[in-house]
Amino acid sequence: MPSVTHEVLVDLFKNRPRLAAEMLQDALGQPVPAFTEARVESSDLAEVVPSERRADAIVVLLASEQQRPAMAIVVEVQLGVDRDKPYVWPVYVTQTRARHRCPTRLLVVTIDAAMARWSARPIDTGHPGWTLTPLVLGPEVVPVVTDAEQAKAAPEVVVLSAMAHGEGEAGEAIGVAFLAAAGGLDEERRALYADVVLSSLNAAARRTLEAMMKSGYQYQSEFARGYVAKGREEGVREGTLKTKAHDVLAFLEARGLEVPADVRERVLASTDIAELDRWIRRAAVVSDARELLATNGS
């Protein structure tokens, strides 16, 4: 399941279609043809790739009065190692190129330096002369946006800047620049972007921005509220699991039973509260710790 960070990064490129072209040209120094419009197109490449393997976003740059495709950009957000990507990324590029009949670039977006290095590795397709080298927008090349006017002109860029650099020394200045841009956004984007920026800043910068907002900050967007609520619920559940797992082990040890390493590991790895409750009951009667895991017990 995609993480909130993944979804937000994808949304930045969908909400501002020209962002892909801007980052290619301004951050990565790649030539981009003149265009009159940037349009997000369907990323469903199901003709070749299963639907669960669709690209995150496809942006087509349109030129001339005829609005002909001048370039297509496949945008892929990468936050973790995925061994399938070197195989599906070339497919995304060739399928998009065939669909829109124009030059096509692959832009991989990440806010993690290690992932940027992993994503940038050339992909040898096996065909002579065809090695695909992804163009990677990582934290080292994401611009640090601290100018209010720049933030107003491109709010998505300042949000991206906060996600990439908010933990650093520029965090507070990036946050202040975002506040200058926030007033020009529609309510939904303002709420979501504010949540993302605040959660991306270091603690000192976050406190400063919260004070500037003149009241204790509350998560405003439904998306963020739901995600935060889910995170709190998961935190409570994880705490319950950990407590019950330790109770199982403590009960066995209190009875003088030796707990083998594999049993201890299995108990601590359990994610089933009902299972742990069952083990707590069994820990009171088993004569050997390994009997705890017997499937025929109750």
Side-chain angles (χ1 to χ4, degrees):
M1 180 179 179
S3 68
V4 63
T5 301
H6 182 280
E7 292 304 299
V8 168
L9 285 169
V10 172
D11 281 348
L12 292 181
F13 286 85
K14 289 183 176 180
N15 291 342
R16 184 180 178 82
R18 63 187 304 117
L19 179 61
E22 292 169 342
M23 291 297 99
L24 276 179
Q25 182 168 276
D26 300 339
L28 297 175
Q30 292 291 317
V32 173
F35 62 95
T36 56
E37 181 184 353
R39 180 182 300 165
V40 176
E41 299 286 353
S42 170
S43 57
D44 186 356
L45 303 175
E47 295 93 334
V48 177
V49 185
S51 59
E52 65 270 16
R53 274 301 184 190
R54 67 183 61 193
D56 287 325
I58 293 176
V59 177
V60 177
L61 309 183
L62 304 173
S64 76
E65 295 180 0
Q66 291 74 32
Q67 295 289 276
R68 293 175 180 170
M71 176 180 285
I73 305 170
V74 177
V75 179
E76 276 281 279
V77 172
Q78 200 63 35
L79 302 179
V81 172
D82 186 337
R83 302 297 180 187
D84 288 340
K85 290 303 177 73
Y87 297 95
V88 298
W89 281 345
V91 178
Y92 291 173
V93 171
T94 55
Q95 183 69 3
T96 301
R97 178 175 177 271
R99 174 180 291 175
H100 297 287
R101 302 299 177 99
C102 64
T104 300
R105 305 284 180 88
L106 170 65
L107 176 63
V108 180
V109 181
T110 182
I111 54 175
D112 180 82
M115 279 313 307
R117 292 190 293 271
W118 181 87
S119 301
R121 296 183 303 179
I123 300 170
D124 183 357
T125 65
H127 189 283
W130 184 21
T131 298
L132 175 63
T133 303
L135 302 170
V136 180
L137 181 69
E140 293 180 354
V141 293
V142 170
V144 178
V145 180
T146 58
D147 179 76
E149 294 306 314
Q150 184 181 358
K152 290 177 183 178
E156 283 73 18
V157 179
V158 74
V159 176
L160 184 61
S161 182
M163 296 178 78
H165 306 295
E167 289 287 346
E169 294 180 357
E172 181 176 321
I174 294 171
V176 172
F178 168 74
L179 288 183
L185 297 171
D186 60 77
E187 184 176 349
E188 183 177 356
R189 280 199 300 162
R190 181 171 62 249
L192 176 59
Y193 290 176
D195 291 339
V196 173
V197 169
L198 276 173
S199 65
S200 300
L201 300 181
N202 61 63
R206 189 181 307 118
R207 286 193 296 270
T208 299
L209 252 68
E210 288 174 347
M212 291 178 68
M213 296 169 91
K214 299 181 180 179
S215 64
Y217 186 74
Q218 298 294 323
Y219 287 93
Q220 301 170 50
S221 66
E222 289 294 334
F223 175 72
R225 279 202 300 267
Y227 183 79
V228 171
K230 180 181 178 183
R232 287 171 179 161
E233 290 172 3
E234 290 179 350
V236 171
R237 186 172 185 275
E238 288 178 4
T240 301
L241 289 169
K242 183 179 293 186
T243 298
K244 287 182 179 292
H246 284 290
D247 286 346
V248 172
L249 299 176
F251 212 143
L252 292 171
E253 291 168 349
R255 294 183 58 222
L257 299 179
E258 181 181 353
V259 182
D262 59 331
V263 173
R264 181 180 299 274
E265 182 178 344
R266 176 70 182 85
V267 170
L268 292 174
S270 178
T271 58
D272 186 335
I273 291 177
E275 178 180 63
L276 289 166
D277 284 337
R278 184 170 63 253
W279 286 346
I280 289 174
R281 292 192 297 270
R282 287 181 57 76
V285 298
V286 296
S287 57
D288 186 295
R290 292 190 182 280
E291 296 177 20
L292 186 76
L293 309 183
T295 57
N296 60 349
S298 59

